[in-house]
């Protein structure tokens, strides 16, 4: 081996060892995001500054080292900065980079930006397609507005996605030009968009379910021969998943570009046919809770269901509330609408006394749209009441009712903001009851949540109920289920359950009317926990000309769970010499 070659080999080995040692040092050292070049940017704020730092991959204004472990060069910093500024329309910025004690100071003189000038977007479509035309009409290239390359790319991608979603599977740009004239400080857009043929659905196959295809088609709008729409397919898949009949719904698509058609395959996995549920819990109003239910989800191929359940509340050694029910549910032709027939027997121990109620009820539930639903029902009941008050001990009655519900959100369990309204009207008459019970009653409830920012919320709850009925007849003959009481976990906290009501012989017998409201502010101090302060007010009474509002204040902790918030509250009544009361509730905020 000659001498020059040995010298070159020696230096090569030395450099290799140095680079390996340096790489080993970088790899073996603990990650430290503060290692790099600190950059202080002067002359720009907000969006521009953020985009520069993002383009430099900085972390807290520190530019990380290169892959070889060296500080980034001045040219690297200046080039990345120019690229970030040009992306937001500033092509002529003057950049000055200087050293300081912490690292580098980057001074930016933005100069005049480039603005949108002429926009010419041509659609080559056989027919006008509303979704495409509306999107083009709201393009972001407003004349005189500073250009933004991100907006340009995003809008171009959104146009392509919209075309695909509407069945224009061969849509393409024949011309796509963005002309930036830096000297004139203007930019022009020239597009020619070819829609191509609109595809249609050739065949729809359903596999994996034992339920009737007619039932599935109540939730799915995908039909053979219809124009292909990705939006309709997604909506149908979501509707089937939300129906409660299926564990999963997988949609597969096969595109035939020769025939301009799409074959759709729905692979459906049914939910378990049988379900056994047990309940164990506690509430300050309802006391200890025990329960068990058995459900058959598929009595037949039309998804008829039945549920048998028994619940025990206020469980003590010698007494408990008992509620046994059997209900049979029949899905109707309209998705999410159903006919429910129910038989129940209930023993309740309440302020008015101990009641035994046998009920037959038929309910028609109509799902109007994702937010609105209505409910018609007729209940036939027989009640035996044991009470120290002067009330009828035996009642037989038929009560028709109508209920309207509105949710501003489709999933109330995870609502951060929104509102809910529930409106109920019920009545009975001389021919429908024994003894004669003639009344008309309405019960209006509203809940509202305002999201003040990422952590703070304002919650409002209000209730107004009134009964048109002679007061003496009400006190003596009104069924216990339709008497109004206030106080307790979900009413006026700080007062005992059903303690706010007219009293007879020292027994709270319920009122013809009810007014209650609650105002609450809560703060998210952890991913799963909120702290709240609140004030409640309300009462149940018989005379609008002579009534009193009872008030309370309190604070509490909310544990956010998939089944709703678990609320632990402590509240103080502001009327009378009453101590603090503890309340526990579980459920969605709406």
């Amino acid at each position: 081996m000659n001498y020059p070659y040995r010298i070159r080999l020696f230096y090569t080995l030395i450099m290799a060892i140095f680079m390996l040692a340096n790489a080993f040092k970088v790899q073996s050292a603990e990650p430290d995001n503060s290692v790099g070049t600190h950059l202080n940017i002067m002359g720009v704020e907000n969006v521009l500054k953020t985009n520069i730092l993002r383009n430099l991959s900085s972390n807290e204004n520190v530019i990380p080292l290169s892959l070889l472990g060296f500080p980034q060069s001045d040219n690297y910093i200046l080039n990345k900065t120019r690229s970030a500024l040009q992306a937001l329309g500033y092509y002529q910025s003057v950049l000055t980079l200087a050293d300081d004690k912490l690292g580098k100071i980057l001074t930016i003189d933005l100069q005049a930006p480039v603005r949108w000038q002429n926009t010419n977007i041509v659609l080559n479509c056989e027919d006008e397609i509303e979704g495409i035309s509306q999107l083009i009409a709201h393009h972001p290239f407003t004349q005189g507005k500073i250009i933004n390359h991100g907006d340009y790319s995003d809008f171009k991608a959104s146009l392509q996605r919209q075309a695909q979603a509407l069945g224009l599977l061969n849509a393409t740009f024949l011309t796509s030009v963005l002309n930036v004239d830096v000297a004139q400080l203007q930019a022009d857009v020239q597009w020619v968009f070819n829609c191509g043929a609109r595809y249609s659905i050739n065949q729809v196959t359903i596999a994996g379910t034992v339920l009737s295809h007619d039932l599935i088609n109540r939730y799915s709008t995908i039909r053979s021969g219809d124009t292909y729409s990705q939006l309709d397919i997604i909506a149908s898949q979501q509707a089937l998943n939300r129906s409660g009949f299926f564990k999963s719904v997988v949609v597969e698509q096969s595109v035939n570009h020769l025939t301009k058609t799409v074959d759709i395959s729905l692979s459906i996995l049914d939910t378990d046919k049988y379900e056994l549920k047990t309940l164990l819990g506690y509430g300050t109003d309802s006391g200890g809770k025990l329960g068990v239910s058995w459900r058959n989800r598929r009595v037949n191929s039309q998804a008829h269901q039945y549920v048998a359940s028994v619940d025990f509340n206020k469980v003590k050694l010698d007494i408990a509330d008992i509620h046994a029910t059997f209900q049979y549910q029949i899905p109707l032709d309209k998705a999410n609408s159903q006919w429910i027939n129910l038989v129940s027997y209930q023993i309740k121990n309440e302020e008015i006394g101990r009641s035994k109620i046998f009920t037959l009820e038929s309910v028609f539930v109509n799902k109007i749209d994702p937010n609105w639903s209505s409910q018609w029902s007729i209940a036939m009941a027989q009640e035996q009441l044991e009470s120290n008050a002067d009330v009828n001990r035996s009642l037989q009655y038929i009560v028709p009712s109508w209920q309207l519900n509105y949710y501003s959100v489709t999933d109330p369990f995870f609502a951060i903001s929104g509102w809910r309204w529930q409106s109920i009207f019920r009545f009975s008459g001389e021919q429908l009851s024994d003894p004669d019970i003639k009344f008309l009653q309405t019960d209006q409830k509203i809940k509202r949540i305002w999201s003040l920012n990422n952590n703070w919320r304002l919650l409002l709850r209000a209730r107004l109920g009134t009964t048109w009925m002679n007061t003496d007849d009400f006190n003596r003959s009104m069924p216990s289920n339709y008497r109004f009481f206030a106080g307790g976990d979900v009413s006026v906290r700080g007062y005992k359950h059903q303690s706010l009501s007219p009293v007879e012989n020292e027994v709270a017998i319920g009122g013809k009317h009810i007014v209650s409201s609650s105002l609450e502010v809560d703060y998210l101090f952890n991913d799963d926990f909120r702290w709240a302060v609140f004030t409640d007010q309300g009462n149940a009474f018989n005379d609008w000309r002579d009534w009193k509002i009872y008030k309370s204040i309190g604070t509490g902790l909310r544990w956010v769970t998939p089944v709703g918030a678990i609320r632990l509250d402590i509240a103080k009544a502001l009327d009378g010499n009453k101590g603090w009361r503890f309340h526990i509730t579980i459920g969605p905020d709406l």
Side-chain angles (χ1 to χ4, degrees):
M1 185 178 295
N2 58 38
Y3 181 76
Y5 181 80
R6 286 198 298 255
I7 293 296
R8 287 197 300 271
L9 180 60
F10 174 76
Y11 280 111
T12 302
L13 290 173
I14 292 296
M15 290 300 296
I17 292 171
F18 173 78
M19 293 178 67
L20 285 172
N22 191 58
F24 179 79
K25 178 180 178 182
V26 172
Q27 293 294 328
S28 62
E30 297 226 352
D32 185 356
N33 292 330
S34 66
V35 174
T37 304
H38 184 274
L39 183 65
N40 184 17
I41 301 176
M42 310 290 290
V44 296
E45 296 293 339
N46 302 327
V47 176
L48 290 168
K49 187 173 183 178
T50 300
N51 201 45
I52 293 169
L53 295 172
R54 185 185 297 117
N55 218 34
L56 288 165
S57 303
S58 69
N59 182 19
E60 297 183 355
N61 291 357
V62 175
I63 305 171
L65 300 175
S66 68
L67 291 176
L68 296 178
F70 299 106
Q72 299 288 1
S73 68
D74 289 358
N75 282 338
Y76 173 88
I77 297 173
L78 292 173
N79 289 335
K80 287 288 187 178
T81 301
R82 288 192 186 93
S83 176
L85 291 172
Q86 288 174 7
L88 298 178
Y90 292 89
Y91 278 78
Q92 296 182 324
S93 303
V94 178
L95 309 180
T96 304
L97 189 62
D99 295 326
D100 74 347
K101 294 180 180 180
L102 295 177
K104 301 283 186 180
I105 296 178
L106 176 61
T107 305
I108 301 173
D109 183 3
L110 286 175
Q111 303 294 318
V114 176
R115 300 179 184 272
W116 297 117
Q117 182 63 29
N118 299 312
T119 301
N120 185 20
I121 302 177
V122 178
L123 293 177
N124 287 339
C125 302
E126 295 179 1
D127 301 305
E128 182 177 353
I129 300 175
E130 185 177 356
I132 298 292
S133 300
Q134 287 182 351
L135 187 62
I136 294 295
H138 296 89
H139 67 73
F141 316 129
T142 306
Q143 187 176 31
K145 182 181 176 182
I146 299 174
I147 73 169
N148 185 314
H149 286 270
D151 289 346
Y152 178 87
S153 300
D154 291 345
F155 186 72
K156 187 176 181 180
S158 67
L159 179 57
Q160 292 172 312
R161 286 195 301 269
Q162 181 75 338
Q164 292 285 315
L166 294 174
L168 305 172
L169 303 185
N170 275 337
T172 185
F173 283 93
L174 298 180
T175 303
S176 174
V177 176
L178 170 60
N179 181 35
V180 179
D181 189 337
V182 177
Q184 297 297 321
L185 297 177
Q186 67 181 42
D188 301 328
V189 176
Q190 177 68 44
W191 286 356
V192 178
F193 188 72
N194 185 29
C195 294
R198 200 167 188 179
Y199 285 47
S200 61
I201 297 175
N202 177 46
Q203 185 179 13
V204 180
T205 58
I206 301 171
T209 179
V210 299
L211 294 179
S212 165
H213 291 187
D214 290 338
L215 174 70
I216 293 168
N217 286 331
R218 297 174 199 170
Y219 294 86
S220 172
T221 59
I222 308 170
R223 299 289 184 273
S224 177
D226 287 355
T227 299
Y228 173 88
S229 171
Q230 186 68 34
L231 301 177
D232 289 344
I233 292 173
I234 293 173
S236 297
Q237 183 180 22
Q238 291 175 341
L240 288 166
N241 278 318
R242 287 196 299 262
S243 68
F245 301 132
F246 314 111
K247 280 186 177 179
S248 67
V249 178
V250 177
V251 179
E252 296 180 351
Q253 306 177 49
S254 177
V255 180
N256 188 327
H257 292 290
L258 292 177
T259 60
K260 303 296 189 294
T261 59
V262 181
D263 291 335
I264 307 295
S265 174
L266 301 177
S267 299
I268 299 175
L269 180 61
D270 294 332
T271 56
D272 296 333
K273 182 175 181 179
Y274 300 108
E275 178 188 63
L276 175 66
K277 277 188 175 181
T278 57
L279 169 67
L280 177 64
Y282 177 82
T284 43
D285 284 352
S286 57
K289 296 182 179 182
L290 297 172
V292 62
S293 66
W294 174 260
R295 179 188 295 268
N296 181 344
R297 291 192 177 93
R298 289 188 296 279
V299 176
N300 52 36
S301 64
Q302 296 300 318
H304 290 203
Q305 302 186 31
Y306 69 76
V307 183
S309 66
V310 59
D311 297 328
F312 301 89
N313 292 328
K314 299 181 183 177
V315 178
K316 299 179 182 178
L317 292 177
D318 58 342
I319 196 171
D321 287 358
I322 302 173
H323 191 198
T325 64
F326 178 86
Q327 57 177 293
Y328 194 90
Q329 303 171 4
I330 302 174
L332 300 178
D333 288 341
K334 187 177 180 181
N336 294 311
S337 297
Q338 56 181 333
W339 180 26
I340 303 173
N341 294 287
L342 180 143
V343 181
S344 71
Y345 181 72
Q346 190 172 16
I347 300 177
K348 299 190 300 178
N349 297 280
E350 297 184 310
E351 292 298 315
I352 192 173
R354 181 177 174 87
S355 61
K356 300 177 181 178
I357 307 172
F358 178 76
T359 304
L360 296 173
E361 187 172 10
S362 189
V363 183
F364 168 61
V365 180
N366 179 30
K367 187 72 172 178
I368 301 171
D369 62 31
N371 303 102
W372 289 91
S373 65
S374 65
Q375 182 173 305
W376 298 87
S377 70
I378 183 167
M380 297 169 284
Q382 183 176 16
E383 179 175 354
Q384 300 294 324
L385 180 62
E386 302 172 9
S387 176
N388 293 327
D390 183 17
V391 296
N392 282 317
R393 301 297 193 269
S394 178
L395 298 171
Q396 296 179 2
Y397 51 87
I398 299 175
V399 177
S401 67
W402 175 71
Q403 179 174 319
L404 184 66
N405 296 305
Y406 175 80
Y407 282 96
S408 66
V409 295
T410 55
D411 190 351
F413 283 92
F414 298 98
I416 301 300
S417 63
W419 67 286
R420 174 195 178 188
W421 173 46
Q422 182 184 73
S423 176
I424 301 174
F425 291 89
R426 58 176 70 96
F427 70 93
S428 191
E430 297 175 355
Q431 293 78 25
L432 301 177
S433 58
D434 182 23
D436 295 342
I437 305 172
K438 186 178 181 181
F439 75 90
L440 173 63
Q441 185 177 83
T442 182
D443 193 2
Q444 307 293 319
K445 300 176 183 178
I446 189 169
K447 291 182 178 181
R448 182 73 166 91
I449 303 176
W450 291 271
S451 179
L452 304 180
N453 56 37
N454 291 336
N455 301 106
W456 289 93
R457 298 188 309 169
L458 177 65
L459 296 88
L460 171 69
R461 169 172 50 85
R463 182 182 184 186
L464 173 64
T466 189
T467 309
W468 289 271
M469 185 179 185
N470 178 272
T471 301
D472 291 337
D473 291 341
F474 179 93
N475 290 342
R476 184 174 55 255
S477 302
M478 190 65 160
S480 61
N481 282 341
Y482 307 131
R483 296 172 183 254
F484 290 125
F485 295 87
D489 296 344
V490 294
S491 181
V492 184
R493 287 163 288 188
Y495 295 86
K496 183 182 176 183
H497 178 56
Q498 294 191 345
S499 62
L500 301 179
S501 116
V503 176
E504 182 177 296
N505 295 334
E506 299 183 350
V507 176
I509 61 172
K512 292 168 57 180
H513 317 294
I514 187 171
V515 173
S516 67
S517 66
S518 175
L519 191 64
E520 182 172 311
V521 177
D522 69 21
Y523 173 70
L524 183 70
F525 64 89
N526 182 278
D527 289 344
D528 297 323
F529 291 94
R530 292 181 179 273
W531 168 73
V533 292
F534 58 84
T535 176
D536 296 347
Q537 45 275 319
N539 195 13
F541 51 92
N542 284 334
D543 192 344
W544 284 105
R545 294 168 297 180
D546 182 21
W547 56 290
K548 178 182 178 180
I549 288 291
Y550 292 87
K551 307 178 184 67
S552 68
I553 58 172
T555 184
L557 181 69
R558 282 88 180 91
W559 179 20
V560 182
T561 74
V563 295
I566 299 176
R567 305 175 188 86
L568 309 176
D569 291 327
I570 182 169
K572 176 73 167 64
L574 299 181
D575 301 273
N577 186 20
K578 294 181 173 63
W580 292 86
R581 290 189 67 87
F582 185 62
H583 298 272
I584 301 176
T585 55
I586 302 174
D589 291 326
L590 280 184

